[in-house]
Amino acid sequence: MEKLKSSLPNMVGVLVGFSIIIGGLLAYVNHITEGPIKQKEQQTLAAGIKTVMQNNNVRVADPETLNQTIDGKNATFIIHSCSDNSGKNIGSAVESTTNGFGGDLQVLVGFDNNGKILGYTILKSSETPGLGAKAGVWFQKNGKGNIISMNPKDKPLAVSKDGGDVDAITASTITSRAFLKAINQAYAAYAKKK
Amino acid sequence: MSNLKILLNGLIKENPTFMLFLGMCPTLATTTSAINGLSMGLATMAVLICTNFVISCIKNITPDMVRIPVFIVVIAAFVTILQMFMSAYAPDSINKALGIYIPLIVVNCIILGRAESFACKNTPIASIFDGIGIGLGFTCGLTLLGCVREFLGAGSLFGVVVLPETTNILLFVLPPGAFLTLGYLVAIFNKLKSE
Amino acid sequence: MEYLLIFISAIFVNNIVLSQFLGICPFLGVSKKIDTAIGMGGALAFVLTLATIITWLVQKYVLDALGIGYLQTVSFILIIAALVQMVEIILKKVSPALYQALGIFLPLITTNCCVLGVAILVIQKDYNLMESIVYAFSTALGFALALVLFAGIREQQELVKIPKGMQGMSIVLITASLLALSFMGFSGLESGLRTLFGLG
């Protein structure tokens, strides 16, 4: 086949043609993946709530959003009030975001009605790769900096360097501080809403 | 050139990671673990095969002067499709780890480079093989780099712990470790080549 | 104060090249001489700031408004490519002197992933327009700083005898690693400043 010449109508025609084809194609793919993406997001959140509430049959009420101004920046907390099978309220799972070592750190924490920490999971972390991932296990029950069953109501969580009871991740005090701050803020939002 | 030769060419002679030094951004950024490096390599390979094929098919109906914009649009389209499929079906941890580097495959010099130097001069079938070869070369490079960094930095391979925590050298999963590991791997590659 | 934090963090703490790994190709490619490094840094600062403003506006007033966010990558890369072309043409007409200095670097910028990267990052970080501009400009400054420092080291390195296997890219990468390591020393800076300014 002869190669098309670079005349103006040819060039405009080809560019416009391709843009339309590709626009259409992308719209179609977007259409077929939109459902699965949303479904997956919901599944991830539901699974997250299950783990942080330590309850497999948790029922989640519609989330409530709480906007607060912290350090001059708008912070949004999303609170999922949870109840068990019989409908008894067992506490809330709270999404909280803070500024960490190298960007935002978003955690989901479960509190029981007294404010005791049931569990946590990291939703989003733009921390230095490797460090952020470490926070996912470090503060769990079998981790070195266990925070499960602590209660921010008695005393805000802090790393031992700052006079608290939590062991910081080796060589990353800043990530640990950011993480604990996210938990403390989540508790504050939860307490305020109650 | 036979198709097998094209394939091997991308794997060894024109290996994008160790010989041509193309696509360095994802190479350094996403190789914090073997599995991340592997998935980034496969994602890039998928895009490269598709774009190579399509560009080779449309090379005759694209006027020379608008060649680059048309190629870029085609590449961006496939990257967007990949991005949507990945956020729908790939595991969360992979999506989280690769993050912004998925849309940035668009500006990966390997893809536009192969379009310019191979796909727009060869048949669609040969272009597919070139895509597979270069893609595999890139994947191997990234996986190898990921393995070394994960092994030294976290004491594990593909998530399986093989060394006790006390021997971990955190530096290797941090940014400087990426440059350092690649630097030494290139030196080893040079040494092997000269023998 | 928030702007100052973005500024310092983008230059030192989260340096685009040394800790985010964007724009590695020009960082390794055009860092042989300090002069060219300065030229590249200047050209990038110009294009990056302009591109971020335009893509931010397009995202907010076209893509979001029409609900076609999935065209983000396609439209951003086209905008950047067109913008670079336009800047080249305008610069040639308006200021030949500036064109002489920056011209040869402009075509390289289209495929510099830090332009597209920053355009997407400011959307992801949910910055407002002013924050985006500050972020884009300081990112470019951070790039220029890393590039000039690196070029300085490489100029010295030419005088040194290097083992055969390490010549070429190998020693360049190891040097970059040391530079990245020294930039990690800034990592506590941001939270330190936050405390200093009473921002928590």
Side-chain angles (χ1 to χ4, degrees), chain C residues 26-41:
Chain C
F27 177 69
L28 299 175
V30 284
S31 56
K32 282 213 177 95
K33 287 222 152 58
I34 294 186
D35 298 348
T36 46
I38 293 173
M40 184 72 197

Side-chain angles (χ1 to χ4, degrees), chain A residues 1-7 10-12 14-15 18-19 22 25-27 29-33 36-37 40 44 122-125 128-131 134 138 144 170-172, chain B residues 29 32 54 58-67 69-70 73-74 76-78 80-81 83-92 95-96 120 165 168 170 173-175:
Chain A
M1 201 168 91
E2 187 78 2
K3 202 169 169 82
L4 270 183
K5 289 235 162 56
S6 296
S7 66
N10 274 351
M11 294 200 295
V12 174
V14 166
L15 269 183
F18 272 112
S19 308
I22 279 160
L25 182 71
L26 288 184
V29 175
N30 180 55
H31 176 72
I32 57 170
T33 53
I37 292 177
K40 200 169 144 226
T44 315
I122 292 185
L123 294 177
K124 197 178 91 188
S125 135
T128 316
L131 292 183
K134 255 193 172 163
W138 187 270
K144 294 198 179 135
T170 319
S172 48
Chain B
T32 48
V54 171
I58 62 169
K59 61 177 183 283
N60 281 333
I61 54 164
T62 323
D64 260 347
M65 281 185 62
V66 289
R67 200 177 70 234
V70 169
V73 173
V74 171
F78 278 110
T80 313
I81 292 173
Q83 198 183 353
M84 292 195 271
F85 274 114
M86 280 192 70
S87 47
Y89 301 111
D92 250 4
N95 277 327
K96 241 187 261 174
C120 71
E165 199 173 333
N168 292 0
L170 189 62
V173 283
L174 295 178

Side-chain angles (χ1 to χ4, degrees), chain C residues 21 25 93-94 121 124 132 138 144 173 178:
Chain C
F21 298 118
C25 293
K93 286 248 161 71
V94 178
L121 274 178
Q124 279 183 359
S132 303
S138 21
L173 284 165
L178 294 176

Side-chain angles (χ1 to χ4, degrees), chain A residues 36 42 49 58 113 158 160 170:
Chain A
Q42 278 164 357
I49 292 178
V58 75
N113 280 322
S160 38
T170 319

Side-chain angles (χ1 to χ4, degrees), chain B residues 175-184, chain C residues 17-18 27-28 31 146-158 160 162 166-183:
Chain B
F179 289 109
L180 195 66
T181 314
L182 187 60
Y184 280 112
Chain C
V17 192
L18 297 171
F27 177 69
L28 299 175
S31 56
L147 195 62
V148 171
L149 284 177
F150 196 49
I153 301 174
R154 284 184 74 177
E155 279 190 2
Q156 293 297 311
Q157 225 167 39
E158 299 220 325
V160 183
I162 297 163
M166 304 286 263
Q167 278 167 9
M169 198 48 99
S170 177
I171 193 71
V172 171
L173 284 165
I174 291 168
T175 315
S177 156
L178 294 176
L179 194 57
L181 195 59
S182 59
F183 264 69

Side-chain angles (χ1 to χ4, degrees), chain C residues 19-20 32 39 46 52 88 116 121 130 138-140 153 193:
Chain C
S19 87
Q20 314 247 45
K32 282 213 177 95
F46 190 61
T52 307
E88 205 178 340
L116 183 63
L121 274 178
M130 198 56 213
S138 21
T139 299
I153 301 174
L193 283 174

